[in-house]
């Protein structure tokens, strides 16, 4: 346990001292603020015409200036942003050790390599959880300030539940990214993987098979929080769990057994 | 158990590349073992095998009699190391980098970091980010990380890299003190025999993955070739006469006659007398001993090396 805490402390220090902390936080907050801005534009058609491109984009994403559309926007933004930002964070936490050549300092220590991996995943989860826990309240506050129509307090609980389920699911999809970063020994491979997973999640969600694609399953969980929507089935949970578990076991095995050249 | 580091037919192949081939090394407690080889000779691969970072394709590696395994965390507790160039977290200061090392090594004493910074003379760079350190101070930081927990076994890959001559001497004295006074077993690699020979107690020469020679530092002197250099006005005739008298000779690039062997050195006065008598008075006679670099190149050259 001491080894884990020592390693977790080290990981948090590395995160705190990096520019990536502020970049990922900034991108996430910017995205959620933009959601409110798009709703603001949709509420005012004259303003939307004046800012033609943004107005069109807002109309494509949300359609109408009301709470259900605003939640739909949250689903879409969270789906892409979650995979991108959380995937980027996982790439950085694991890939930087290879890019900075510091990996070798973590391989022959009194703290086991498995403990190092666990502490990295814990640090990744903590960091992503902070970002995730900021997004929803800001989204809610913006909607409240915009006085959007269609507010239904009975749905809010369902949305919160959906977000509370989807966020950790999105965060833990960073674990397979950790494996790709370790296997690829750097940033490039995991970033390519993240872009591929975003594309797959969007394509399969549009095709209506999102519940069977691990990277679209959290989006499905968010969408199913809306009244009358289909719920996630056991198959989705199994597919998702197998994906994350494979990433986790793969990362542990790679650190423990692969040649660290 | 006197053998602290031991490899038994340690072999590592990367696909078709035979990086290390059946290397047997044995390092006793308190020894400073200098591991010499050209770049790409297999030094770092051997070190990585000793540290459990890569698995031998065949053969075994032992530390203190225990087979090395990546999960042998109790072995790593007593081992300090520096592999290849020293890298540190660039966004963190010298202190923070060492604080991470202290915590991961499970050291309770918070003064360990201050103590090791002082020992490696980097206290003045305490709050400087690692990215802004000079190469020499980066090297000192790397050595500090290897030494922070007072290891029983120290494995250093090219520790003199980037250090200025004063820094090299300082680290040399530090390592000598650790081995002689604290019984630390030190295994260090270098491609510079001249430097290693100044303090290593034993030297191993690796070339193209094979360990060519292991020699105690005390024996090294007897292995160096000695010769007598002679210059005369009539080189060809003098050389012919010397060979008639039974000496083995050759001509060097300066046009001087080299007479090989210990006998030539011990009989230098008689050789001068004979040459004078033969009407070939030497204008220069100089005994010369092969330097360590030449010896190293000769050893690897005679084993199919490029030298």
């Amino acid at each position: 346990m001491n080894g884990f805490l020592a390693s977790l402390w080290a990981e948090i220090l590395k995160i705190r001292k990096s520019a990536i902390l502020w970049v990922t936080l900034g991108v996430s907050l910017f995205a959620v603020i933009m959601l409110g801005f798009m709703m603001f534009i949709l509420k005012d058609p004259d303003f939307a015409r004046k800012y033609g491109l943004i107005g069109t984009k807002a109309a494509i994403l949300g359609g109408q200036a009301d709470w259900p559309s605003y939640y739909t926007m949250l689903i879409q933004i969270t789906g892409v942003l979650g995979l991108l930002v959380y995937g980027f964070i996982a790439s950085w936490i694991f890939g930087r050790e290879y890019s900075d050549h510091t990996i070798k300092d973590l391989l022959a220590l009194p703290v086991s390599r498995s403990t190092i991996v666990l502490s990295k995943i814990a640090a990744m989860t903590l960091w992503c959880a902070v970002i995730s826990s900021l997004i929803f309240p800001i989204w809610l506050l913006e909607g409240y300030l915009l006085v959007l129509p269609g507010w239904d307090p009975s749905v809010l609980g369902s949305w919160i539940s959906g977000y509370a389920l989807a966020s950790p699911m999105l965060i833990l999809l960073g674990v397979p990214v950790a494996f790709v970063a370790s296997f690829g020994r750097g940033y490039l491979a995991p970033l390519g993987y993240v872009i591929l997973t975003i594309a797959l999640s969007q394509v399969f969600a549009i095709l209506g098979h999102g519940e069977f694609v691990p990277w679209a399953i959290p989006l499905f969980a968010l969408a199913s929080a809306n009244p009358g929507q289909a719920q996630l089935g056991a198959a989705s949970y199994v597919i998702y769990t197998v994906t994350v578990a494979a990433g986790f076991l793969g990362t542990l095995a790679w650190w423990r057994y692969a040649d660290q050249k | 158990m006197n053998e602290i580091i031991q490899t038994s037919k340690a072999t590592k192949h990367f696909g078709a590349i035979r990086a290390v081939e059946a290397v047997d090394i044995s390092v006793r407690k308190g020894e400073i073992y200098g591991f010499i080889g050209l770049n790409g000779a297999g030094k770092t691969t051997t070190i990585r095998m000793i540290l459990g970072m890569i698995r031998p394709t065949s053969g075994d590696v032992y530390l203190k009699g225990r087979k090395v395994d990546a999960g042998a965390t109790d072995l790593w507790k007593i081992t300090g190391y520096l592999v290849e160039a020293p890298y540190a977290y660039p966004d963190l200061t010298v202190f923070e980098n060492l604080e991470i090392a202290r915590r991961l090594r499970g050291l309770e004493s918070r003064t360990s970091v201050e103590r090791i910074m002082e020992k490696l003379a980097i206290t003045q760079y305490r709050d400087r980010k690692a990215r802004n350190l000079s190469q020499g101070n980066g090297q000192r930081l790397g050595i500090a990380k290897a030494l922070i927990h007072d290891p029983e076994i120290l494995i250093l890959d090219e520790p003199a890299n980037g250090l200025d001559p004063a820094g090299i001497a300082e680290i040399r004295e530090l390592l000598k003190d650790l081995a002689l006074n604290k019984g630390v077993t030190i295994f260090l690699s270098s491609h510079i025999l001249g430097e290693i020979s100044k303090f290593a107690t034993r030297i191993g020469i690796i070339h193209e993955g094979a360990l060519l020679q292991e020699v105690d530092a005390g024996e090294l002197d007897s292995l160096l070739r000695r010769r007598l250099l002679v210059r005369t006005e009539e080189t060809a005739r003098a050389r012919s006469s010397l060979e008639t008298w039974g000496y083995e000779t050759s001509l060097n690039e300066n046009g001087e006659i080299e007479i090989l062997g210990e006998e030539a050195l011990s009989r230098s006065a008689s050789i001068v007398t004979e040459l004078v008598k033969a009407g070939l008075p030497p204008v220069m006679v100089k005994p010369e001993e092969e330097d360590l670099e030449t010896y190293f190149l000769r050893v690897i050259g005679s084993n199919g090396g490029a030298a």
Side-chain angles (χ1 to χ4, degrees):
Chain A
M1 191 60 187
N2 281 342
F4 175 78
L5 290 178
S7 183
L8 183 62
W9 180 89
E11 293 305 323
I12 291 172
L13 178 69
K14 291 179 215 170
I15 292 169
R16 273 179 41 221
K17 294 293 177 129
S18 72
I20 306 297
L21 172 71
W22 302 109
V23 169
T24 50
L25 196 62
V27 167
S28 304
L29 295 182
F30 176 75
V32 73
I33 288 166
M34 283 306 289
L35 280 186
F37 185 60
M38 285 185 180
M39 274 292 127
F40 175 71
I41 289 169
L42 279 174
K43 269 191 81 179
D44 186 342
D46 288 339
F47 194 81
R49 270 191 292 279
K50 194 174 166 191
Y51 290 88
L53 198 60
I54 297 173
T56 308
K57 178 67 180 165
I60 290 168
L61 273 174
Q64 296 173 2
D66 57 19
W67 275 100
S69 300
Y70 188 40
Y71 185 70
T72 304
M73 276 184 162
L74 179 72
I75 295 172
Q76 298 193 7
I77 288 290
T78 306
V80 175
L81 200 73
L83 289 175
L84 183 69
V85 173
Y86 303 159
F88 187 73
I89 289 169
S91 305
W92 185 81
I93 287 180
F94 282 85
R96 69 90 47 96
E97 302 290 357
Y98 292 93
S99 302
D100 288 341
H101 305 279
T102 43
I103 181 75
K104 55 184 190 272
D105 286 346
L106 301 176
L107 296 174
L109 290 172
V111 179
S112 74
R113 295 182 192 176
S114 303
T115 305
I116 301 273
V117 169
L118 284 174
S119 67
K120 281 183 171 291
I121 291 173
M124 174 194 90
T125 306
L126 276 173
W127 184 4
C128 296
V130 167
I131 292 174
S132 182
S133 61
L134 285 173
I135 288 176
F136 195 83
I138 292 173
W139 172 82
L140 203 60
L141 181 67
E142 283 181 301
Y144 172 78
L145 293 175
L146 287 166
V147 199
L148 292 173
W151 171 253
D152 181 354
S154 65
V155 179
L156 178 64
S158 181
W159 285 349
I160 292 174
S161 304
Y163 190 80
L165 173 66
S167 290
M169 287 180 104
L170 278 167
I171 291 170
L172 291 179
L173 281 173
V175 177
V177 179
F179 170 71
V180 178
S182 304
F183 181 80
R185 302 176 201 276
Y187 298 117
L188 279 181
L191 291 180
Y193 168 87
V194 166
I195 290 165
L196 179 69
T197 59
I198 291 171
L200 287 175
S201 71
Q202 295 296 308
V203 167
F204 280 93
I206 290 166
L207 292 175
H209 301 300
E211 74 268 39
F212 301 118
V213 177
W215 309 284
I217 288 171
L219 286 182
F220 199 88
L222 273 170
S224 60
N226 272 323
Q229 292 291 315
Q231 299 299 300
L232 278 180
S236 299
Y237 285 107
V238 169
I239 291 168
Y240 173 84
T241 306
V242 166
T243 305
V244 174
F248 178 64
L249 296 174
T251 310
L252 283 181
W254 178 263
W255 275 61
R256 177 70 177 76
Y257 299 110
D259 275 353
Q260 305 290 338
K261 287 181 267 183
Chain B
M1 171 54 59
N2 213 22
E3 307 294 345
I4 302 297
I5 303 170
Q6 200 168 15
T7 68
S8 170
K9 304 277 176 231
T11 299
K12 185 65 190 179
H13 297 168
F14 297 109
I17 300 166
R18 293 165 176 264
V20 172
E21 196 69 44
V23 165
D24 289 321
I25 290 171
S26 170
V27 188
R28 293 181 290 269
K29 185 170 170 55
E31 265 190 343
I32 301 177
Y33 189 100
F35 198 44
I36 313 292
L38 300 174
N39 294 330
K43 302 188 297 291
T44 301
T45 301
T46 305
I47 283 179
R48 283 182 184 269
M49 282 195 284
I50 293 172
L51 290 167
M53 293 180 183
I54 56 176
R55 287 164 187 273
T57 307
S58 62
D60 294 305
V61 179
Y62 301 90
L63 286 180
K64 290 190 88 173
R66 261 196 65 189
K67 194 168 171 182
V68 164
D69 175 83
T73 50
D74 50 338
L75 282 179
W76 310 135
K77 201 173 219 164
I78 56 164
T79 307
Y81 63 93
L82 170 69
V83 180
E84 288 183 304
Y87 288 99
Y89 296 108
D91 299 325
L92 304 188
T93 63
V94 167
F95 178 84
E96 288 164 340
N97 270 288
L98 288 169
E99 182 63 11
I100 286 178
R102 180 185 78 81
R103 289 178 184 242
L104 291 177
R105 291 271 174 206
L107 304 178
E108 295 295 330
S109 170
R110 288 173 180 272
T111 57
S112 312
V113 173
E114 303 293 346
R115 183 182 52 83
I116 200 68
M117 283 195 299
E118 204 170 309
K119 200 170 205 171
L120 271 299
I122 49 175
T123 305
Q124 59 183 310
Y125 308 110
R126 186 185 191 280
D127 298 319
R128 187 175 290 187
K129 284 188 177 180
R131 72 164 81 244
N132 297 326
L133 288 177
S134 66
Q135 195 186 354
N137 285 324
Q139 189 76 9
R140 284 170 187 266
L141 174 59
I143 296 171
K145 282 195 282 183
L147 291 174
I148 191 169
H149 55 302
D150 295 323
E152 290 177 35
I153 305 168
L154 190 55
I155 296 168
L156 302 172
D157 194 4
E158 305 275 3
N161 271 3
L163 294 174
D164 56 32
I168 291 173
E170 198 182 314
I171 298 300
R172 186 198 310 143
E173 292 309 310
L174 174 67
L175 296 179
K176 270 165 79 173
D177 176 58
L178 287 174
L180 293 174
N181 300 321
K182 303 206 169 100
V184 176
T185 306
I186 301 174
F187 183 93
L188 72 164
S189 79
S190 178
H191 59 279
I192 308 167
L193 178 59
E195 175 51 36
I196 291 278
S197 67
K198 285 180 186 160
F199 66 114
T201 50
R202 210 137 62 92
I203 288 167
I205 296 176
I206 187 169
H207 185 60
E208 293 179 347
L211 188 68
L212 300 184
Q213 194 174 62
E214 254 188 335
V215 57
D216 283 330
E219 291 171 37
L220 193 60
D221 201 45
S222 64
L223 296 171
L224 300 178
R225 278 183 182 172
R226 289 169 181 80
R227 58 198 169 178
L228 192 68
L229 297 181
V230 176
R231 191 187 299 154
T232 68
E233 296 291 339
E234 295 179 75
T235 305
R237 206 154 69 82
R239 195 176 167 198
S240 169
S241 298
L242 286 163
E243 289 191 349
T244 308
W245 300 332
Y247 294 106
E248 188 188 343
T249 69
S250 63
L251 270 185
N252 68 18
E253 64 271 26
N254 298 325
E256 295 157 349
I257 302 167
E258 292 184 358
I259 311 173
L260 304 175
E262 291 290 333
E263 195 191 342
L265 286 174
S266 61
R267 299 187 58 189
S268 54
S270 138
I271 288 171
V272 170
T273 308
E274 293 297 323
L275 284 170
V276 170
K277 279 185 188 168
L280 299 161
V283 293
M284 182 208 76
V285 177
K286 186 170 86 174
E288 194 173 81
E289 184 179 77
E290 181 179 45
D291 64 23
L292 294 168
E293 301 304 334
T294 313
Y295 171 72
F296 168 60
L297 293 172
R298 177 162 62 82
V299 170
I300 63 170
S302 64
N303 281 275

